[in-house]
Amino acid sequence: MLKAIAAFFCGAIIVFASEDRAGAQDTAGQSNSRQDNAGPVKATVTLHLDQAKTRIAPEIYGQFAEHLGRCIYDGIWVGEDSPIPNTRGIRNDVVAALKKIHVPVVRWPGGCFADEYHWKDGIGPRDQRPKMINTNWGGVVETNAFGTHEFMDFCEQIGAQPYICGNVGSGSVEEMMQWVEYMTSDAKSPMANLRRQNGRDKPWKLKYFAVGNESWGCGGNMTPEYYANEFRRYNTFIKNYGANRMYRVAGGPNGDDANWMEVLMKNAAKFMQGISLHNYTLPTGNWNGSKGSATDFDEAAYHSTLFNALKMESIITRQSAIMDKYDPQKRVGLVVDEWGNWYDAEPGAKMGILYQQNTLRDALTAALNLELFQAHADRISMANIAQMINVLQAMILTDKEKIVLTPTYHVFEMYKVHQGATLIPLEIKTADYVMNGKSVPEVHATASRNADGKIHISLVNLDANRKAHISIAVPSGSSLGGGRILTAPELNAHNTLDQPEAVKPASFDGAKITGETLTADMPSKSVVVIELQ
Ligand code: AHR
């Protein structure tokens, strides 16, 4: 039996068929068989150009960098005396790669680490900085060599805004208040003078500041009622110094925890500019057992990763609906400041390092998530993939003096054209990709128009085996301005030091415009970005 399901997004509507069995006919008259030699999936995308009004916050393409495993040390910081080429201790190859994807914002220093971090330990002469134990991540000794000045320098080198996460769990209100003064005040005040003494005369521009991390878990195991009060108290002392204006982010829910969102919005919405949401994708969905391998997986595990990744849509929809109740004007932004795929660490990796490889599967789910965030651009003000380098769904993997760009990096690079553009709401008519009784849409998409009037359409063919033939009505007189594709022969294709370009973008020649119809013929498991002029 075939059931038509319409999923209505703010920015995209996907109409797809849900079936109890593979091989049934979908709404477009296509076979839904899993055979490799079945014909292409057919899909239709309708662009609502007349409804394009919402700006896609560039910050949706943000990143997260925690003192965890080799993200900061090795990944970003090698020290001034390292043989690895660096600028003031920060590796040049990583900076050059990150500049190419236009990282808008970086969240730091955690994560769970943030609620144990005492910022004063990370300033002043490096050889005099106190050490600490990073209890969350392998119990390693943290040298504090990378602190506030080094992080701000890193942000300036890559051209990103800083997003600082303050310590509520084990820090004081005074400590948080002084950190903000240290970073942003230009007065002749004690903290600003301390900053000057440490070599930085002018304050930094700092907009984004989070009041704690996962206060429902590693950040203090608080109840929402208790945290809402704590948020109100800490938040009161995060001041705007001079012209600097803070965007204060309250610690929001874990995934679909509706009660946490409800209590926070009810008790504290008027004090915040943003509220966070954390949601990770595990192929098995099981936090207590094996999460699944990053590279050694079959089509069923691939499909369940897609299925679980797409839960982000219902989570955002549900949490946004609660926010709408208390904030119908959408003044408060939803900040998805931790998201990504979380697998078992690579065999042999030390405990608490969270080092995992990154395959074509990760590229496809990165594209899905970015498309979902764009569809909700009216509410989502920022998102930060976890994490930037060497941890979880990373952009870059490093090994001593070498680096590898991951398939996820390439999606961020291809999709950067959407940053700051105007969302074009769209509808997709597509069949289901069904496995083990679970359905995901075969085709996913997003579109935007930039300041020059160029339209970018990003498409994902999720099917592991079948090509997709996609039709899109476009304005008369449109012409193709180019296209790029990311795909590989295998779902688990990935880049290594020996084969750093196994997965990389290529130019796409499968698109053409005939009259007022754009068609795109995509291979299975691929991501395409098309430009229209
Ligand atoms: O990103 C890894 C960890 O996941 C973060 O430290 C924490 O906030 C989350 O649980």
Side-chain angles (χ1 to χ4, degrees), residues 75 110 180 199 256 260 315 318 349 355 388 423 429 434 445 470 518:
V180 174
D256 60 3
W260 186 280
I315 289 171
R318 187 160 181 224
Y355 178 79
M388 192 176 229
L423 178 75
K429 191 175 176 207
V434 184
I470 300 160
L518 164 71

Side-chain angles (χ1 to χ4, degrees), residues 64 66 68 111-112 137 213-214 278 280 338 342 386-387 392:
F64 172 34
E66 179 168 13
L68 192 179
C112 296
W137 306 118
N213 169 73
E214 296 194 352
H278 289 185
Y280 285 97
E338 286 189 30
W342 192 322
Q387 298 192 6
L392 299 177

Side-chain angles (χ1 to χ4, degrees), residues 49 72 215 237 304 383 479:
L49 286 150
I72 301 293
S215 300
F237 301 95
S304 71
S479 61

Side-chain angles (χ1 to χ4, degrees), residues 124-150:
R126 273 184 218 108
D127 58 358
Q128 292 168 31
R129 294 185 190 174
K131 298 182 170 53
M132 66 178 282
I133 296 176
N134 190 335
T135 65
N136 287 291
W137 306 118
V140 298
V141 174
E142 163 65 52
T143 63
N144 278 310
F146 190 88
T148 305
H149 291 252
E150 290 80 11

Side-chain angles (χ1 to χ4, degrees), residues 473-513:
V474 293
S476 69
S478 299
S479 61
L480 282 173
R484 293 170 79 207
I485 182 166
L486 189 73
T487 189
E490 305 296 335
L491 285 170
N492 68 348
H494 55 278
N495 297 332
T496 62
L497 292 180
D498 294 336
Q499 282 197 299
E501 299 196 336
V503 188
K504 67 169 185 176
S507 83
F508 177 61
D509 57 10
K512 64 173 193 265
I513 295 180

